[in-house]
Amino acid sequence: MIKIEKYSELTPSARNVLNQLIEEEFGHVAFVQERVWAQPEWVLTMYENGEVATVCHVVLREVSMDGKRYKVAGINNVITPKNNRGKGYASQVLREAEKLVFEELGYAYALLLCADALLPFYSRTGWYKVEDCALYYHQPTGEEIYNSNVMLLPANNLPPYNPKYINLNGLPW
């Protein structure tokens, strides 16, 4: 079962579970720990036997790509606890996130910041890596550039787009 909830409406215990999963997954990653991150608007959670099998956050934002503004959904914190990996749960949750973002909310693109090791997974689920793109985001100390993989997924009616410049117009996700 996949539950779709507004982040602002999560119970304190649900937030604690999510924060614990994020800490377990990214607590050792210096890049993650050294930055301030956007709070999501939506959380998709798949449960198996009463426990979180996979979670995914969705941040909604108007983003600049090559000087034009687009409604972009940021996908982040796609986390599957180790004991549930390899079962296809993350793919199922991502498909539900796509329905939410494109069909229900009418966004043009979904965007994620991706580690090298996860490129094959996201590519298999329809995402593509944007080549030679400068991505900028905000931090309390000013604007910074992201120097790793940026992946996009267009809404069904849009062709792939490879922008050369993206500004998240806010905190990263």
Side-chain angles (χ1 to χ4, degrees):
M1 171 187 95
I2 298 174
K3 194 171 184 180
I4 301 173
E5 301 172 277
K6 288 187 175 183
Y7 184 84
S8 62
E9 297 175 2
L10 291 177
T11 65
S13 64
R15 284 188 192 200
N16 286 339
V17 168
L18 293 178
N19 289 335
Q20 182 179 356
L21 287 171
I22 293 166
E23 180 62 29
E24 289 171 6
E25 190 68 25
F26 301 112
H28 67 284
V29 180
F31 181 86
V32 173
Q33 296 304 312
E34 295 165 356
R35 286 175 180 64
V36 178
W37 298 88
Q39 180 176 294
E41 277 75 27
W42 293 94
V43 178
L44 290 84
T45 310
M46 175 180 260
Y47 293 93
E48 186 70 29
N49 299 321
E51 293 187 6
V52 174
T54 296
V55 66
C56 169
H57 289 172
V58 177
V59 175
L60 303 176
R61 176 105 36 90
E62 199 169 273
V63 168
S64 300
M65 294 195 291
D66 293 335
K68 294 181 183 175
R69 293 178 83 77
Y70 296 90
K71 289 171 61 175
V72 173
I75 303 298
N76 83 331
N77 290 330
V78 179
I79 300 171
T80 302
K82 287 182 175 68
N83 59 327
N84 285 312
R85 291 183 183 164
K87 299 177 182 177
Y89 295 154
S91 297
Q92 291 177 51
V93 169
L94 282 172
R95 281 192 296 276
E96 286 301 312
E98 291 169 26
K99 288 180 190 174
L100 171 69
V101 166
F102 298 134
E103 296 172 20
E104 294 181 36
L105 301 176
Y107 274 60
Y109 293 93
L111 183 149
L112 60 85
L113 308 177
C114 187
D116 291 344
L118 294 172
L119 287 170
F121 167 73
Y122 286 108
S123 294
R124 284 193 306 273
T125 61
W127 292 77
Y128 63 91
K129 182 179 174 185
V130 179
E131 299 293 340
D132 303 316
C133 179
L135 182 136
Y136 294 87
Y137 60 91
H138 298 175
Q139 284 296 283
T141 56
E143 193 170 71
E144 294 189 19
I145 188 167
Y146 182 69
N147 290 315
S148 194
N149 304 306
V150 176
M151 298 191 84
L152 279 176
L153 184 69
N156 292 335
N157 60 336
L158 294 174
Y161 174 44
N162 285 289
K164 296 297 177 195
Y165 171 85
I166 297 174
N167 191 320
L168 296 182
N169 297 324
L171 296 172
W173 49 72

